[in-house]
Each structure stands twice: as structure tokens, then as C-alpha cells.
Amino acid sequence: MKRLLMAVALSLSIVPVTAFGFGNMGQPQWNSANPSTAPAAPQSAPQSPAQGADISGRVVQTINSGGYSYVLLKKADGEKVWVAAPELKVNVGEQLTFEGGMEMINFQSSTLKRTFEKVVFSNGIAKGKDGKAKEAKKDQRSPGSMGAAVAVTDEKIKVKKATGKNAYSIAEVFKKKDKLKNKQVVINAKVVKVSSGIMNKNWIHLQDGTGSHMTADNDLVVTSDDIPIVGDLVTVKGKIETNKDFGGGYKYNVIIEKAKITIN
């Protein structure tokens, strides 16, 4: 009996390990006759249906952060799409073509402290057959405050005025600018334009539906360390400054510097 047990043990010891499904010790094998042992298919990240296709559009907004440039493009059909690429210099208004890439859903940027509903990660500006980037020529001159002004649109903006003794509408700020100089104000408004990294500042244009483009009292510019996105409804707190000249053509009759911006 003892000899029989030893023979059985010896026969088991020389059976190839592949019979038990471990032919590759780093990667367990599975028996095709038993599908339940098959490894689960790897889950891939969300992909855009048009992954790989170049993305073209006019630059509406650009933010540099964490070594990336987040560029909001407005395509020919009016659709707006965020594209993230290794940091590069682009200007609002340029017509650009980016290489297609992976579309991420609800992407959280730790450096911007924001969540993008959708963003396409691209390797950068697409190149044509000649090897040159499909990029519009850039005007290296400073556009100044007039060049940075928001274009007139048919959009009807109406934002409810903030409450409290320091609450003002944008038209009221312009009308009472001398009285409000160096005083704190609170303003509810909609973000209509953002330019980041100019003179080491983020420049945010605000409108609330008061004032008029004709009288130049409908668009208030603030600078801030915060970076909202065009379309955000925000509450802005800060000190009114008047007749500020930053050089390079950037002159403002009314401005709020180092504003604190809360997205509503």
C-alpha cells in the first residue's frame, strides 16, 4: 500500500504544470472548454466616435495649467468642444486644427479644480503633408483692452442682481465708479470671455444684461487667480479700481483686480 501511494505521488509530481492552467506563471491560462474561466475583458477608457479625426474650429477660450493647454474650439457647425494638448501658445479668434485623440467624460482637472463634461486629449496641432502645423498666423502685438473686447452678439443676458449693501449691477458700477473707487462690491454676472496667462493674470469679462455696448457700460473686466469657464454664472467680490493703465494698450476706466470668483 505504501508503495502504491508513493507511485501516485510521483506520477502527480511529473504532470506538466500547463495541465493545471499555469503554463505562463505570470499570466494564468484558461480552458476554452470552460468559458467561465476566461479572464474578463479589459475596460477601455471612453472614446469619441470620431477618435483619430482632426478637430478644427475657432478658438473661443484657452487656459494653460499643469503643463497642458485647454482650448475651447467652436466648430463650423456651431458645436463647442474642449481640447487638451501639451502646453502651447494660442490666441482667441484663431482658426486651428488639432490632432484627434481620446475623449474623456467628466474629466477632473486637479490643477484647475474643475470638471470638464467632455474633453479630447490631443497630441497637439495637426500637421499637413508639408509637415507644417495647420495654424493661423499670430499677431504678436498686444491687442490692448480694445482688441480684447467682447464681440457684440444677439445673446440676451439677464442675471439677477446680488443682494446686500455692497451689491451692484454692472451698469451701476460704471455709473458710480468715482464713488465706489477703492470700495468692495459684490456682483452677480455671466462669464462671457476668459483670457488666461496675460501679464501673469487671468482676465475675465462679465456681463449681467445691464448697460449697453454703445455706452460701454455693459462689460466689466476683472482679474483673478480663479479661472471660470465662458458661460458660468458667478458671484464676484472685489475692490473697484479706476483709470488703470497696465501698459501695452491695456487701459480700463473700471476694473476689479484680484477678484474672488464663486461659481453659482
Side-chain angles (χ1 to χ4, degrees):
M1 184 68 178
K2 186 178 295 186
R3 289 183 179 180
L4 177 61
L5 290 174
M6 290 179 62
V8 171
L10 180 61
S11 65
L12 288 175
S13 68
I14 63 174
V15 173
V17 292
T18 54
F20 292 93
F22 293 94
N24 181 342
M25 296 303 291
Q27 183 178 0
Q29 306 297 306
W30 62 284
N31 187 346
S32 60
N34 185 5
S36 64
T37 64
Q43 294 183 354
S44 59
Q47 297 183 8
S48 167
Q51 183 181 359
D54 290 350
I55 305 169
S56 298
R58 180 175 60 83
V59 178
V60 176
Q61 182 177 350
T62 177
I63 305 171
N64 289 339
S65 180
Y68 279 86
S69 290
Y70 295 84
V71 181
L72 182 60
L73 294 178
K74 185 174 183 180
K75 299 164 68 174
D77 60 4
E79 179 189 1
K80 292 182 180 179
V81 58
W82 280 101
V83 178
E87 189 168 322
L88 70 164
K89 179 177 175 58
V90 299
N91 297 320
V92 172
E94 284 186 299
Q95 185 72 25
L96 296 180
T97 299
F98 283 87
E99 293 182 7
M102 182 72 71
E103 182 183 81
M104 301 298 291
I105 307 298
N106 294 326
F107 173 75
Q108 294 183 348
S109 169
S110 58
T111 56
L112 291 176
K113 298 180 180 179
R114 295 198 64 94
T115 297
F116 292 87
E117 183 178 349
K118 294 181 182 179
V119 60
V120 177
F121 279 84
S122 167
N123 287 328
I125 302 296
K127 293 178 172 56
K129 294 181 180 180
D130 57 0
K132 296 182 179 179
K134 300 177 183 177
E135 183 175 357
K137 293 182 179 179
K138 301 175 183 176
D139 186 353
Q140 299 297 334
R141 296 173 300 171
S142 167
S145 55
M146 292 301 294
V150 177
V152 180
T153 67
D154 295 329
E155 181 184 7
K156 301 298 182 183
I157 297 175
K158 187 175 182 179
V159 180
K160 187 177 180 179
K161 180 180 173 180
T163 57
K165 66 177 183 179
N166 293 329
Y168 294 90
S169 70
I170 289 177
E172 288 173 337
V173 167
F174 278 93
K175 184 177 181 179
K176 302 177 180 180
K177 62 183 180 68
D178 294 329
K179 181 180 178 180
L180 294 175
K181 183 177 180 180
N182 296 324
K183 293 186 178 179
Q184 294 286 328
V185 299
V186 179
I187 299 170
N188 283 345
K190 182 175 183 178
V191 177
V192 295
K193 184 175 181 180
V194 178
S195 299
S196 64
I198 299 177
M199 301 181 184
N200 297 317
K201 301 175 185 287
N202 301 317
W203 304 73
I204 298 98
H205 290 250
L206 305 171
Q207 294 184 10
D208 62 2
T210 64
S212 167
H213 178 76
M214 298 297 295
T215 52
D217 60 354
N218 69 321
D219 187 275
L220 177 65
V221 174
V222 306
T223 67
S224 177
D225 291 333
D226 301 318
I227 311 179
I229 290 175
V230 171
D232 280 346
L233 296 177
V234 298
T235 296
V236 175
K237 298 180 180 180
K239 185 174 67 174
I240 292 293
E241 298 185 43
T242 62
N243 302 317
K244 288 286 293 187
D245 187 348
F246 296 93
Y250 286 90
K251 298 179 180 180
Y252 296 92
N253 292 329
V254 182
I255 192 170
I256 299 177
E257 285 212 81
K258 299 180 180 179
K260 297 297 182 183
I261 300 177
T262 303
I263 300 174
N264 298 329

